[in-house]
Amino acid sequence: MFEKLIDSFEKLCLQIIIEILLVPVTIFKLFQDTRKCYDLSVHEMEKEETERFRDYLSPIKLSVYTSVIVSVLLMDYSGQQSFISKIKGLSMVEKALFIFLMNNFTAVIFSVILLWYKKEKVNTVAFRTLLFSFIYTTVYTSTPFFLLILSAMFLGQTVNVQSYLDHLTKLADSGAYGSRDYVFFIVFFLFVVVGIIGLIKLFKALHHILHENFRYHPYVVWIFTLLFFLIQVYYARGFI
C-alpha cells in the first residue's frame, strides 16, 4: 500500500515537472506563430482524447500556470488595490477557481458569440475548439505580467509595481540607486517591449480565429477583431 502511494506520488511529481517545462515551450510556440492559437486547438481536437496535448500544454493548464498564478501573486503581494485582494470568506482553492473563471471570461463570451453566429450548440467540439483558441490568446496579455512579477520577486523587490516606481522616484532625488534598481529598470523595459509585442500578437491571433470562422465576411472579421481586441485588452488591464 505504501509502495503504491510512493509510486503515485512519483508519477504526480513527474507530471508536474513535465508540465512546468512545457509552459515556456507552449508560450514560445504561441508567440512564434499566432496562428497556433487556433490551428493547434483544431489539430488537437481531431485526436483521441487520450492523445491530446502531449507536446504542448493544454490551454486550461496553461491558463492555470499563467493567469491564475499571476492573479494569486498579485492578490497576495500587490496590496489592496484590486478587487480580488478584497475577497473575504473564501479558501485559497475557491479563490483560485474564481480567478481562473474570471480570467477566462472573455474566452467564454467570444466562443458563445461565434457559436451563436454559426448556429451551433455549446456541447460540441466546435465550442471546445473556439474556447481553447481564445484561452490561448490570453497568454499574450498575461505573460508580460508573469515575467515582471517573477523577475521582481527574484530581485527581492516588491511586486507592487506602482509602489516600487514611487520608491524609485524618491531615490531619483538623492541619486542613491543600487545595482538591483538598475536591473529592475532593464526588467521593466523588457516588460514594456514584451507587452507591446504581446498586443500585436493578440490582434493577429484574434484576426486568424475570426477569419477561420467568418470566411465570407471580410469586413465582419476586421470589425469583430478590433472589438474583441479592445474588450480583451480592457478586461486584462482592469483585472490583471
Side-chain angles (χ1 to χ4, degrees):
M1 183 67 180
F2 181 74
E3 185 177 351
K4 291 182 179 180
L5 181 61
I6 295 298
D7 291 339
S8 300
F9 181 73
E10 180 184 9
K11 292 179 181 179
L12 176 62
C13 292
L14 180 60
Q15 182 66 27
I16 293 175
I17 292 174
I18 292 175
E19 291 178 354
I20 291 176
L21 293 176
L22 285 177
V23 169
V25 173
T26 306
I27 292 177
F28 176 77
K29 287 296 182 181
L30 294 177
F31 267 85
Q32 188 179 39
D33 187 359
T34 55
R35 293 173 298 180
K36 287 284 186 182
C37 290
Y38 184 75
D39 296 347
L40 181 60
S41 299
V42 173
H43 178 69
E44 294 297 331
M45 290 305 297
E46 292 175 348
K47 299 179 180 179
E48 295 293 332
E49 188 171 354
T50 56
E51 298 296 324
R52 295 172 185 168
F53 300 106
R54 288 183 175 271
D55 299 326
Y56 304 97
L57 206 59
S58 71
I60 301 297
K61 291 183 178 180
L62 184 62
S63 180
V64 171
Y65 282 107
T66 54
S67 299
V68 174
I69 291 178
V70 168
S71 300
V72 170
L73 287 174
L74 288 176
M75 178 181 63
D76 288 340
Y77 300 107
S78 65
Q80 299 295 324
Q81 69 271 19
S82 65
F83 77 92
I84 299 177
S85 61
K86 299 177 182 179
I87 299 176
K88 305 296 182 182
L90 296 178
S91 66
M92 181 59 68
V93 175
E94 291 172 330
K95 286 184 179 181
L97 178 60
F98 175 77
I99 292 167
F100 172 80
L101 295 175
M102 291 298 292
N103 274 350
N104 295 294
F105 177 76
T106 53
V108 175
I109 295 299
F110 295 164
S111 301
V112 171
I113 291 174
L114 288 184
L115 281 183
W116 173 79
Y117 171 81
K118 299 173 72 173
K119 298 181 180 179
E120 296 190 20
K121 296 181 179 180
V122 173
N123 58 341
T124 60
V125 175
F127 174 73
R128 291 196 291 271
T129 301
L130 288 172
L131 180 62
F132 286 173
S133 301
F134 284 120
I135 290 178
Y136 268 144
T137 64
T138 61
V139 168
Y140 301 122
T141 52
S142 61
T143 298
F145 288 95
F146 185 72
L147 296 176
L148 177 65
I149 292 170
L150 289 182
S151 300
M153 293 180 66
F154 180 78
L155 292 173
Q157 307 292 354
T158 176
V159 296
N160 186 337
V161 178
Q162 185 59 49
S163 175
Y164 189 71
L165 292 178
D166 293 340
H167 169 68
L168 292 179
T169 302
K170 294 178 181 179
L171 289 179
D173 298 332
S174 60
Y177 289 111
S179 58
R180 290 186 177 181
D181 297 320
Y182 287 110
V183 174
F184 187 82
F185 280 137
I186 298 175
V187 169
F188 190 77
F189 174 76
L190 293 177
F191 158 74
V192 174
V193 172
V194 175
I196 294 174
I197 294 175
L199 292 178
I200 297 173
K201 296 287 186 179
L202 172 62
F203 189 87
K204 289 183 177 180
L206 291 174
H207 180 268
H208 180 68
I209 295 173
L210 291 167
H211 178 266
E212 292 299 312
N213 292 275
F214 287 111
R215 292 180 181 274
Y216 306 106
H217 304 277
Y219 293 107
V220 175
V221 171
W222 285 104
I223 292 173
F224 270 85
T225 298
L226 181 60
L227 178 62
F228 282 14
F229 173 78
L230 293 176
I231 291 174
Q232 190 160 329
V233 170
Y234 179 80
Y235 188 82
R237 180 189 64 83
F239 187 72
I240 297 180

